[in-house]
């Protein structure tokens, strides 16, 4: 017999759906996020990224710089109820300079939605993030966007996914026309035709009318050319397409494909309904005690993101916690795996981009926000009962390095506070010279935009103007074995030695040739492009 708690956990987990959206910049990711919120009833009117002056701003882009530039530069969590399910939507930055933030967010996701521009097909950042999803073993659902604009042939797009990503495809729906002639989609599961009527700027749900193929034929609702093309395409899919296989989808080897237009809301509801039916529910996660199922009775969770100043008025710091097992309850006392300390979780919050509200409980698959008084680090595990530790989240090799200078000594305290909080949240990697006379922090970034964001946030959130002094290095490698291994190697030429946030030695190289030269001169020196995790178990390489 199941206990009351076990029944409660099973029922709660079965209603949870958790996913992250990945895409190349400008594929329409933030727009799709808004429309999912619109159909989920979480907002009443959708904004647009490139908004007119009289349009409202998008919900997920809450940071001032995001609003100014019309891009997503930080991950956010958006939670809402839809059709009896609790949905945790993890919105990720599309810009490649923030791919590390996306990687951390994918560590908390159970599914991924891959968004593709119908005109451009697969783009570099999409391919890169797809590989991360594969490493995580996430099921991938594909939404081919912007069908209301001139684009490539649907069959050509499916072939590109199969050839370049090595995944089977199953079109769940099929577009009727494209560009100005895009009328709607055919649902292959229900064998029904959904024709849409455009709404002004797509701010409200699209009006749709549902027909059978027989009704289309008898009433001549579609122009003849589109109707005949649809029949021909469906016949071709039936003959040459793959069979739907949910196990293969959950294994990440087949992707269900949806066609639509997020800006006009065409196909968004069909996608959301089908996704809820076939997405993976919260599953067991790797830990120091092996794989632990979300219905394990004791509460456990891990920190995958930290964010400073989501509410600038209160200068707050929020830790994003993925609930992994058991039941979270307000005011519960938990243990902190890295420090061994006990913490009372008194102000848990439901996250909705910048907005928050208090919650009383949460279950496996949910994401909650906790006040962070400087105690949490990315990758930390919190737990009740027996000690458990989940896999940590590693840092990757940055490619740009610069000293960050504070020209105003009177702002020293604000400067230090800003650097500490931005370092904690992983907005940029921060390293330091091993020369005690050089105390300026070294910003280490994947892309130039990260530098701009740090300078912007230090000024807007902490009131500190800063200058950058670039360093002529393009590669970083962590020394396997730490300082003893580095000391044993002796003198190294054409490199710069710095220390990271965890006081571990990092070597900076001007280029790949210098790196290979050091490897050749010091064959016993092992160098890693991925840092050992600072908190949590070292992830097992698959």
């Amino acid at each position: 017999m199941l206990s009351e708690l076990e029944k409660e956990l099973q029922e709660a987990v079965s209603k949870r759906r958790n996913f992250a959206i990945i895409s190349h910049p400008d594929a329409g990711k933030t727009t799709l996020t808004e429309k999912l919120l619109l159909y989920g009833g979480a907002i009443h009117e959708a904004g647009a990224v490139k908004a007119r002056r009289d349009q409202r701003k998008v919900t997920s882009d809450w940071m001032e710089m995001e609003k100014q530039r019309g891009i997503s530069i930080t991950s956010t969590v958006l939670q809402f109820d839809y059709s009896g399910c609790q949905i945790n939507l993890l919105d990720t930055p599309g810009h490649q300079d923030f791919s590390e933030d996306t990687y951390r967010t994918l560590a908390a996701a159970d599914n991924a939605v891959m968004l593709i521009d119908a005109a451009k097909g697969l783009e570099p950042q999409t391919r890169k993030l797809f590989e991360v999803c594969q490493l995580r073993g996430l099921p991938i659902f594909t939404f081919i966007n912007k069908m209301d604009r001139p684009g490539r042939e649907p069959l050509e797009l499916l072939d590109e996914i199969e050839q370049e990503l090595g995944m089977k495809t199953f079109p769940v729906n099929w577009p009727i026309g494209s560009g100005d002639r895009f009328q709607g989609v055919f649902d292959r599961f229900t064998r029904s035709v959904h024709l849409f009527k455009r709404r002004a700027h797509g701010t409200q749900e699209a009006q749709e009318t549902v027909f059978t193929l027989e009704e289309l034929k008898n009433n001549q609702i579609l122009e003849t050319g589109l109707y005949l093309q649809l029949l021909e395409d469906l016949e071709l899919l039936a003959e040459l397409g793959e069979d739907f296989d949910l196990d293969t989808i959950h294994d990440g080897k087949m992707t269900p494909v949806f066609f639509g237009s997020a800006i006009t809301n065409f196909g968004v509801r069909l996608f959301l309904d089908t996704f809820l039916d076939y997405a993976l529910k919260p599953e067991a996660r790797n830990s120091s005690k092996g794989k632990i199922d979300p219905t394990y009775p004791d509460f456990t969770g891990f920190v995958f993101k930290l964010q400073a100043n989501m509410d600038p008025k209160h200068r707050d710091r929020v830790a994003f916690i993925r609930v992994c097992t058991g039941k979270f309850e307000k005011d519960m006392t938990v243990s902190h795996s890295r420090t061994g300390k006990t913490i009372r979780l008194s102000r848990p919050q439901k996250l909705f981009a910048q907005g928050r509200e208090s919650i009383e409980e949460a279950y496996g698959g949910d994401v909650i926000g906790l006040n962070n008084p400087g105690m949490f680090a990315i990758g930390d595990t919190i737990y009740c009962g027996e000690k458990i530790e989940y896999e940590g989240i590693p840092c990757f090799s940055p490619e740009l390095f610069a000293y960050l200078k504070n020209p105003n000594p009177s702002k020293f305290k604000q400067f230090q506070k800003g650097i500490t909080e931005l370092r904690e949240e992983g907005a940029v990697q921060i390293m330091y010279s091993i020369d005690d006379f050089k105390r300026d922090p070294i910003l280490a970034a994947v892309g130039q935009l990260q530098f701009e964001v740090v300078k912007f946030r230090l000024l807007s959130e902490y009131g500190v103007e800063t200058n950058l002094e670039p360093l002529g290095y393009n590669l970083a490698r962590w020394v396997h074995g730490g300082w003893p291994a580095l000391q044993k190697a002796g003198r190294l030429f054409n490199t710069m030695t710095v220390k990271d946030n965890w006081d571990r030695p990092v070597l900076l190289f001007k280029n790949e040739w210098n790196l290979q030269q050091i490897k050749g001169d010091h064959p016993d020196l092992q160098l890693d492009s991925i840092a050992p995790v600072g908190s949590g178990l070292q992830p097992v390489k698959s």
Side-chain angles (χ1 to χ4, degrees):
M1 286 286 290
L2 294 175
S3 68
E4 289 300 315
L5 176 60
E6 287 172 319
K7 288 179 183 176
E8 182 182 348
L9 293 176
Q10 284 188 359
E11 183 179 350
V13 169
S14 70
K15 293 179 179 178
R16 262 61 186 174
R17 301 292 187 278
N18 174 312
F19 69 98
I21 303 179
I22 62 169
S23 75
H24 195 83
D26 297 326
K29 179 179 59 61
T30 303
T31 303
L32 177 62
T33 299
E34 285 285 300
K35 301 315 172 70
L36 292 172
L37 298 179
L38 175 68
Y39 279 92
I43 57 176
H44 299 296
E45 190 172 301
V49 179
K50 294 176 182 175
R52 299 184 179 190
R53 288 183 181 272
D54 60 342
Q55 285 182 317
R56 57 181 296 282
K57 298 295 185 182
V58 293
T59 306
S60 55
D61 288 347
W62 57 269
M63 192 180 286
E64 188 58 38
M65 193 170 182
E66 293 178 310
K67 295 174 184 176
Q68 291 180 12
R69 296 203 179 196
I71 56 172
S72 298
I73 59 179
T74 183
S75 298
T76 55
V77 178
L78 301 140
Q79 295 169 308
F80 59 96
D81 295 320
Y82 179 73
S83 194
C85 288
Q86 166 103 9
I87 298 174
N88 289 266
L89 193 168
L90 307 172
D91 184 42
T92 63
H95 201 287
Q96 62 184 11
D97 289 4
F98 302 97
S99 53
E100 198 155 2
D101 195 21
T102 301
Y103 181 86
R104 290 192 288 263
T105 302
L106 288 171
D110 299 311
N111 305 274
V113 173
M114 180 169 67
L115 187 66
I116 294 175
D117 185 319
K120 298 175 182 176
L122 289 174
E123 296 178 86
Q125 183 67 357
T126 313
R127 292 185 182 91
K128 186 175 180 181
L129 294 172
F130 166 79
E131 290 171 3
V132 175
C133 291
Q134 279 209 313
L135 286 173
R136 292 272 172 206
L138 298 178
I140 298 173
F141 296 75
T142 300
F143 189 91
I144 296 181
N145 194 26
K146 303 185 182 181
M147 290 302 298
D148 59 317
R149 302 180 188 180
R152 292 161 60 182
E153 289 295 322
L155 287 171
E156 183 186 339
L157 292 166
L158 295 183
D159 186 60
E160 183 177 53
I161 293 171
E162 293 184 354
Q163 296 300 320
E164 294 201 24
L165 302 184
M167 296 181 82
K168 297 176 181 178
T169 61
F170 182 89
V172 175
N173 62 29
W174 194 253
I176 301 170
S178 63
D180 290 340
R181 301 179 73 205
F182 182 51
Q183 303 292 310
V185 295
F186 175 78
D187 186 331
R188 296 181 69 201
F189 286 140
T190 62
R191 306 291 297 173
S192 57
V193 176
H194 295 251
L195 300 183
F196 299 95
K197 187 175 182 180
R198 296 172 187 264
R199 299 294 293 267
H201 309 301
T203 56
Q204 296 176 337
E205 294 182 25
Q207 292 179 340
E208 63 181 271
T209 313
V210 182
F211 300 95
T212 64
L213 282 172
E214 193 68 23
E215 287 173 327
L216 280 191
K217 179 183 177 182
N218 293 339
N219 299 320
Q220 297 182 332
I221 295 165
L222 277 182
E223 59 181 86
T224 304
L226 286 178
Y227 176 72
L228 293 176
Q229 183 65 54
L230 174 61
L231 293 183
E232 185 181 323
D233 288 347
L234 294 179
E235 190 176 336
L236 195 62
L237 288 175
E239 289 180 11
L240 303 178
E242 300 284 345
D243 292 330
F244 185 82
D245 187 329
L246 192 55
D247 289 336
T248 307
I249 290 168
H250 287 172
D251 288 341
K253 295 174 182 175
M254 171 182 275
T255 180
V257 180
F258 303 80
F259 292 87
S261 164
I263 194 74
T264 59
N265 302 341
F266 286 12
V268 176
R269 183 190 292 281
L270 275 173
F271 163 74
L272 187 53
D273 287 340
T274 310
F275 173 82
L276 293 184
D277 286 340
Y278 298 112
L280 204 59
K281 299 178 182 67
E283 282 206 315
R285 301 183 77 88
N286 288 329
S287 76
S288 53
K289 290 187 172 294
K291 288 209 166 192
I292 302 183
D293 194 83
T295 56
Y296 176 77
D298 290 331
F299 163 77
T300 65
F302 75 90
V303 181
F304 68 92
K305 177 179 172 63
L306 301 173
Q307 183 72 53
N309 303 324
M310 287 184 75
D311 183 353
K313 293 178 183 176
H314 297 97
R315 290 284 181 255
D316 62 343
R317 297 154 83 186
V318 177
F320 288 60
I321 309 288
R322 155 72 191 233
V323 179
C324 297
T325 68
K327 180 180 180 180
F328 171 87
E329 294 180 285
K330 183 181 178 181
D331 291 326
M332 73 189 308
T333 300
V334 300
S335 299
H336 187 281
S337 63
R338 176 169 54 87
T339 64
K341 293 181 178 178
T342 299
I343 313 169
R344 183 167 173 257
L345 306 179
S346 57
R347 291 169 54 199
Q349 298 163 335
K350 175 182 177 180
L351 298 162
F352 192 78
Q354 191 177 17
R356 282 163 285 166
E357 61 183 67
S358 295
I359 59 167
E360 299 294 325
E361 58 191 32
Y363 299 88
D366 284 337
V367 174
I368 60 174
L370 295 176
N371 182 51
N372 176 30
M375 180 172 287
F376 294 118
I378 291 171
D380 279 353
T381 299
I382 53 176
Y383 65 94
C384 293
E386 291 185 50
K387 182 175 180 179
I388 288 175
E389 198 166 23
Y390 290 106
E391 289 183 345
I393 304 174
C395 295
F396 294 89
S397 177
E399 298 173 6
L400 297 172
F401 306 87
Y403 280 114
L404 184 68
K405 304 277 188 177
N406 170 27
N408 189 347
S410 67
K411 296 281 187 177
F412 177 76
K413 283 188 177 179
Q414 295 95 315
F415 177 74
Q416 287 299 113
K417 182 182 181 185
I419 289 298
T420 299
E421 293 184 358
L422 294 182
R423 182 192 67 213
E424 284 176 355
E425 74 174 56
V428 68
Q429 291 185 52
I430 295 180
M431 301 176 180
Y432 291 90
S433 171
I434 58 173
D435 184 343
D436 290 336
F437 291 100
K438 294 182 178 179
R439 297 190 175 183
D440 293 318
I442 298 169
L443 300 189
V446 174
Q448 184 65 36
L449 190 55
Q450 276 184 284
F451 285 165
E452 294 177 35
V453 169
V454 169
K455 287 190 67 179
F456 180 90
R457 291 186 62 190
L458 284 171
L459 180 59
S460 64
E461 297 172 21
Y462 301 92
V464 182
E465 284 200 49
T466 53
N467 299 321
L468 287 173
E469 184 182 298
L471 292 167
Y473 297 92
N474 295 305
L475 289 170
R477 293 295 183 268
W478 281 263
V479 178
H480 196 79
W483 295 106
L486 184 61
Q487 190 174 13
K488 184 179 178 183
R491 191 173 180 186
L492 304 176
F493 295 95
N494 295 320
T495 68
M496 178 179 178
T497 303
V498 297
K499 54 189 178 183
D500 71 3
N501 185 39
W502 300 91
D503 202 33
R504 300 174 299 206
V506 184
L507 300 182
L508 306 187
F509 300 89
K510 293 180 186 290
N511 49 46
E512 184 68 30
W513 187 85
N514 284 146
L515 172 59
Q516 296 306 322
Q517 186 182 39
I518 291 294
K519 285 184 174 180
D521 293 343
H522 302 271
D524 293 333
L525 186 64
Q526 293 184 48
L527 302 175
D528 298 321
S529 59
I530 299 176
V533 296
S535 181
L537 299 179
Q538 192 69 30
V540 179
K541 293 181 181 179
S542 56

